[in-house]
């Protein structure tokens, strides 16, 4: 009986290890690593700065979990928001909290004071794990997040990201370096008490780094803003 228990425990251990290996992690995994992303309008004017710092790395049964502190500032250096987010593997797939969307300046441009975002997670699949190997079988979650002023909850935006789909695997050059990325297209709708904005965007994400570039367009195919990874240290 004891040998069966030991063998069962080893089987679970190996299964957990296999699951961890199957999960491509799209965020830094070394404590102290810092990412700096900057957001710009269509004319290239700085709008926002998002800084992430890996605070804790721990093993969990399904793979790995990383906690990171973030600070979100406007172009003048005023802190809009700060807090922490989680990135983790679950059932062989990578997920990250949607505090990432705060780095997109159009989401917060009309929220003038301290901002916060409701908790939500979204998946980032790996093309190498797709059955077809070309991304056709990749499943992408939709996401819904509310961004609001800490001083006035009525001053808010409800952001929906949906119809995400794989586009290509390609190299992307950024000020922080050149990365092998998965390119994904998505549709987006932002609702506030004053207006509703619809459009689409592209994001490029790389293993062990995350989203290194993001572009958003309106439905007239005009670039509205973009974010880019500036520093990894």
């Amino acid at each position: 009986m004891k040998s069966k228990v030991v063998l069962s425990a080893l089987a679970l251990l190996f299964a957990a290890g296999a699951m961890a290996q199957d999960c491509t992690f799209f965020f830094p995994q070394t404590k102290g690593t810092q990412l700096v992303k900057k957001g710009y309008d269509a004319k290239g004017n700085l709008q926002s700065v998002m800084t992430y710092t890996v605070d804790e790395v721990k093993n969990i049964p399904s793979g790995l979990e990383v906690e990171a502190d973030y600070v979100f500032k406007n172009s003048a250096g005023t802190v809009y928001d700060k807090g922490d987010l989680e990135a983790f593997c679950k059932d062989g797939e990578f997920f990250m909290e949607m505090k990432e969307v705060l780095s997109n300046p159009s989401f917060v441009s009309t929220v003038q004071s301290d901002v916060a975002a409701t908790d939500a997670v979204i998946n980032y699949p790996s093309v190498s794990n797709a059955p077809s190997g070309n991304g056709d079988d990749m499943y992408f979650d939709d996401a819904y997040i509310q961004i609001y002023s800490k001083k006035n909850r009525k001053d808010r935006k409800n952001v929906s990201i949906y119809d995400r789909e794989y586009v290509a695997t390609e190299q992307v050059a950024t000020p922080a370096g050149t990365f092998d990325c998965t390119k994904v297209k998505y549709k987006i709708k932002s609702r506030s008490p004053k207006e509703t904005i619809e459009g689409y965007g592209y994001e490029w994400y790389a293993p062990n780094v995350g989203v290194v570039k993001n572009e958003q367009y309106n439905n007239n195919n005009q670039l509205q803003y973009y974010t880019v990874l500036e520093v990894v240290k």
Side-chain angles (χ1 to χ4, degrees):
M1 180 65 68
K2 184 180 292 187
S3 63
K4 289 184 178 180
V5 172
V6 172
L7 289 173
S8 298
L10 287 173
L12 288 172
L13 181 63
F14 286 126
M19 186 177 294
Q21 291 175 0
D22 288 341
C23 179
T24 302
F25 213 81
F26 294 105
F27 202 78
Q29 303 173 39
T30 303
K31 185 174 180 178
T33 300
Q34 189 173 84
L35 306 177
V36 180
K37 297 181 183 180
K38 294 185 179 180
Y40 302 87
D41 64 18
K43 295 181 179 180
N45 299 311
L46 179 66
Q47 301 292 302
S48 65
V49 180
M50 179 74 94
T51 302
Y52 302 93
T53 305
V54 176
D55 182 56
E56 186 176 358
V57 180
K58 54 187 176 182
N59 289 312
I60 56 177
S62 59
L64 190 69
E65 182 177 273
V66 166
E67 294 181 5
D69 298 326
Y70 71 87
V71 179
F72 174 63
K73 299 179 181 180
N74 65 10
S75 58
T78 301
V79 176
Y80 269 172
D81 188 35
K82 59 182 178 180
D84 55 69
L85 60 80
E86 288 185 345
F88 57 90
C89 287
K90 182 179 179 181
D91 298 330
E93 193 167 29
F94 177 80
F95 293 84
M96 190 169 73
E97 285 190 72
M98 286 297 292
K99 305 294 173 58
E100 171 76 23
V101 302
L102 289 174
S103 64
N104 295 332
S106 72
F107 293 165
V108 295
S109 60
T110 59
V111 182
Q112 300 298 330
S113 58
D114 293 346
V115 299
T118 54
D119 291 334
V121 297
I122 197 167
N123 70 328
Y124 287 90
S126 173
V127 175
S128 61
N129 292 340
S132 65
N134 59 14
D136 292 341
D137 303 307
M138 295 169 69
Y139 173 77
F140 293 91
D141 291 337
D142 293 339
Y144 174 83
I145 188 169
Q146 185 180 86
I147 299 171
Y148 59 90
S149 167
K150 293 177 182 177
K151 297 180 180 178
N152 179 11
R153 288 293 292 259
K154 293 182 180 180
D155 187 6
R156 69 185 188 276
K157 283 190 174 184
N158 298 323
V159 180
S160 298
I161 298 174
Y162 58 100
D163 288 353
R164 300 165 68 214
E165 60 180 353
Y166 170 79
V167 177
T169 301
E170 58 189 27
Q171 282 195 330
V172 175
T174 74
T178 299
F179 303 93
D180 294 320
C181 295
T182 297
K183 180 181 180 180
V184 170
K185 183 179 181 179
Y186 59 89
K187 294 181 181 178
I188 191 163
K189 180 180 289 187
S190 172
R191 298 185 182 92
S192 73
K194 296 180 179 179
E195 62 182 358
T196 296
I197 300 174
E198 294 185 73
Y200 66 95
Y202 299 94
E203 63 181 6
W204 291 259
Y205 57 90
N208 302 314
V209 181
V211 178
V212 303
K213 184 180 176 182
N214 185 302
E215 295 177 349
Q216 187 174 325
Y217 298 79
N218 62 22
N219 284 334
N220 293 321
N221 302 318
Q222 297 170 321
L223 178 67
Q224 300 299 292
Y225 71 86
Y226 63 95
T227 63
V228 64
L229 181 65
E230 299 277 346
V231 176
V232 179
K233 63 179 180 181

